[in-house]
Amino acid sequence: MGRILRRDFYDRDTETVSRELLGAILECDTKDGRAAGIIVETEAYIGEHDAACHAAVGRTRRTEPLYGPPGNAYVYFIYGMHWCINAVTRAEGLPSAVLIRALEPLTGVPLIRLRRPKARTDRDLANGPAKLCAALGIDDRMNGLPLQRHPVVIRAGDQVTDSNVVITPRIGISRAEDWPLRYFVRGNPFVSRTP
DNA sequence: TCGAAGATTGTCT
DNA sequence: GACAATCTTCGAG
């Protein structure tokens, strides 16, 4: 297993962190065991001037983690039933984060299958931001926690070369839809959706 | 206190 | 491809 990514990894441009998180490994321990996967899709959300970023409404109880130190987790609840996890990036007056949108399951696949009974194929286990949180057992208990120690950590993985990185507009949002801030691994079957 | 919207998913046509 | 499920958060009244 690769080493755990330190805080200074996250203390850079959000686009750079989004790009370099591709190929890294998201790992989560719960009482049920360990589950982990390779990050194959991310999106950048950049500060209060990004209308699609939660921080666009300013500093509130919900967005508080975005204003905290880089390298922390920002876990939020959406649509009354789903959790999504972000890695907070450079936050000097610029509350921004990287949404992790899809994983290629790597460790604890039997446990992941138990947590994702609706998944018909292995591709469906974690190919979406809420799916991967369910797969790894991530919820509000992890909100605001540092990503350098368990239960949730991100490790270095195999590098993804530039020619294998695809950049497109973000999906599933209704504001600032044209900004090219979505990153995913070319041809990887575990990416949530290809345009 | 009330109402509206949301970084989604799964099911049905 | 369309739509329901479901509830927290936030701002207005």
Side-chain angles (χ1 to χ4, degrees), chain A residues 12-189:
Chain A
R12 297 180 294 163
D13 286 32
T14 307
E15 294 97 318
T16 302
V17 177
S18 293
R19 157 70 180 85
E20 297 197 8
L21 276 178
L22 294 180
I25 295 158
L26 178 63
E27 178 181 284
C28 182
D29 285 351
T30 70
K31 61 176 172 54
D32 299 319
R34 170 169 295 183
I38 302 168
I39 297 172
V40 297
E41 180 180 354
T42 61
E43 279 179 5
Y45 287 85
I46 306 176
E48 297 177 350
H49 65 284
D50 176 358
C53 182
H54 286 171
V57 297
R59 189 168 188 156
T60 64
R61 196 155 69 85
R62 184 196 203 196
T63 61
E64 189 62 30
L66 290 172
Y67 292 81
N72 279 7
Y74 168 46
V75 179
Y76 66 88
F77 193 61
I78 190 70
Y79 294 124
M81 61 191 91
H82 301 304
W83 296 100
C84 298
I85 185 169
N86 297 247
V88 176
T89 58
R90 184 153 65 184
E92 303 139 4
L94 190 65
S96 45
V98 175
L99 171 68
I100 299 172
R101 287 195 55 91
L103 296 181
E104 177 176 339
L106 188 68
T107 304
V109 174
L111 175 58
I112 292 175
R113 288 207 185 95
L114 285 176
R115 286 168 169 162
R116 294 272 307 125
K118 301 278 182 64
R120 304 169 65 98
T121 69
D122 281 0
R123 295 172 56 146
D124 294 325
L125 289 174
N127 62 337
K131 293 178 185 177
L132 71 89
C133 283
L136 268 55
I138 293 170
D139 59 27
D140 63 336
R141 290 171 301 177
M142 288 74 172
N143 191 26
L145 297 185
L147 294 166
Q148 287 74 39
R149 58 176 164 77
H150 288 99
V152 196
V153 301
I154 299 180
R155 299 178 180 278
D158 291 335
Q159 291 283 329
V160 178
T161 60
D162 282 345
S163 62
N164 282 323
V165 174
V166 184
I167 303 175
T168 70
R170 295 173 292 187
I171 58 180
I173 56 175
S174 55
R175 288 175 295 222
E177 299 162 292
D178 299 334
W179 298 12
L181 295 173
R182 177 179 182 230
Y183 299 73
F184 62 90
V185 179
R186 184 186 304 280
N188 187 292

